[in-house]
C-alpha cells in the first residue's frame, strides 16, 4: 500500500505517517520509484501507535514499547520495562477517572439546583466542590 492508501484507510494525515517515520516508529520499505510501500505488518504497527498515542503515551514511550515488541524480547528486563510503562499509564488513567468523576458530580449538583442550598457553614455545596477540585488541579500543576 502507498502512503496515500494507508492515510485514507486509517483516516490520518500523510504528515502523521511521515512524522512517525522521522521518529523511527515505522520503517516502510521503498519501491523502485522510492515511494513508501506499507505492508500489513506496518499497518498493524501504525494501529498500535495510534492506540498508544490516544492513551497519552509519549512518542518516546511508544518507541520503547514498539522496540520491545519488534525484537520479540521476552526476557525479564523487557517485561519490567513494559510493566513500568504500563503501570505509569494506568496511574495517569486512574487520576483522570477521579477528575472526571469529580467533574460529573459537580455538574450533577449544579443541575439539581443544589447550588442554592447551603451547607451548615453557609457555604454553597458547589463552592465547596469547586474548591476541592481546584485545589487538586493546583497540587498537580505544582508537582510538574
Amino acid at each position: 500500500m502507498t502512503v496515500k492508501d494507508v492515510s485514507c484507510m486509517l483516516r490520518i494525515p500523510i504528515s502523521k505517517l511521515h512524522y512517525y517515520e522521522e521518529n523511527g516508529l515505522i520503517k516502510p520499505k521503498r519501491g523502485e520509484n522510492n515511494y513508501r510501500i506499507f505492508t500489513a505488518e506496518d499497518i498493524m504497527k501504525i494501529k498500535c501507535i495510534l492506540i498508544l498515542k490516544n492513551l497519552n503515551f509519549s512518542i518516546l514511550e511508544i518507541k520503547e514499547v514498539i522496540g520491545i515488541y519488534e525484537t520479540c524480547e521476552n526476557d525479564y528486563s523487557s517485561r519490567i520495562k513494559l510493566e513500568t510503562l504500563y503501570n505509569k499509564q494506568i496511574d495517569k488513567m486512574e487520576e483522570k477517572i477521579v477528575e472526571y468523576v469529580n467533574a460529573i458530580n459537580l455538574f450533577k449538583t449544579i443541575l439539581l439546583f443544589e447550588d442554592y442550598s447551603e451547607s451548615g457553614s453557609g457555604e454553597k455545596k458547589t463552592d465547596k466542590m469547586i474548591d476541592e477540585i481546584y485545589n487538586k488541579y493546583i497540587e498537580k500543576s505544582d508537582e510538574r
Side-chain angles (χ1 to χ4, degrees):
M1 293 184 108
T2 67
V3 70
K4 184 177 180 183
D5 295 334
V6 174
S7 171
C8 289
M9 184 179 96
L10 298 178
R11 296 184 305 273
I12 59 174
I14 291 173
S15 60
K16 188 173 279 196
L17 294 168
H18 292 170
Y19 176 76
Y20 293 156
E21 184 178 9
E22 289 166 10
N23 282 279
L25 297 174
I26 58 175
K27 297 171 188 115
K29 291 182 175 40
R30 298 282 182 147
E32 290 178 16
N33 55 9
N34 206 29
Y35 287 2
R36 292 168 183 84
I37 300 171
F38 291 86
T39 63
E41 186 178 321
D42 292 325
I43 293 166
M44 193 57 62
K45 189 185 297 184
I46 295 165
K47 288 178 179 179
C48 288
I49 292 166
L50 294 170
I51 290 167
L52 293 173
K53 193 72 184 132
N54 191 51
L55 294 172
N56 295 316
F57 278 70
S58 71
I59 292 296
L60 290 175
E61 291 168 331
I62 293 171
K63 194 172 190 175
E64 193 168 355
V65 169
I66 297 247
I68 291 169
Y69 285 117
E70 275 184 338
T71 57
C72 296
E73 295 176 20
N74 199 14
D75 60 1
Y76 181 73
S77 65
S78 296
R79 185 134 180 89
I80 294 298
K81 284 181 195 174
L82 282 176
E83 188 176 321
T84 301
L85 281 169
Y86 290 156
N87 281 331
K88 182 178 165 186
Q89 288 306 121
I90 289 169
D91 290 344
K92 287 179 185 178
M93 289 176 191
E94 287 174 342
E95 286 176 15
K96 278 290 182 200
I97 290 170
V98 170
E99 289 175 20
Y100 286 132
V101 167
N102 286 338
I104 288 168
N105 289 336
L106 175 63
F107 296 155
K108 285 181 178 179
T109 301
I110 291 170
L111 289 173
L112 293 173
F113 298 104
E114 290 185 16
D115 189 37
Y116 300 107
S117 63
E118 295 179 354
S119 63
S121 65
E123 181 182 31
K124 293 179 184 175
K125 289 181 181 178
T126 52
D127 290 350
K128 185 177 178 184
M129 291 175 77
I130 288 169
D131 279 339
E132 288 174 13
I133 293 170
Y134 176 78
N135 288 333
K136 287 179 186 174
Y137 281 116
I138 294 302
E139 289 171 13
K140 270 178 67 174
S141 65
D142 287 345
E143 291 172 6
R144 293 180 193 161

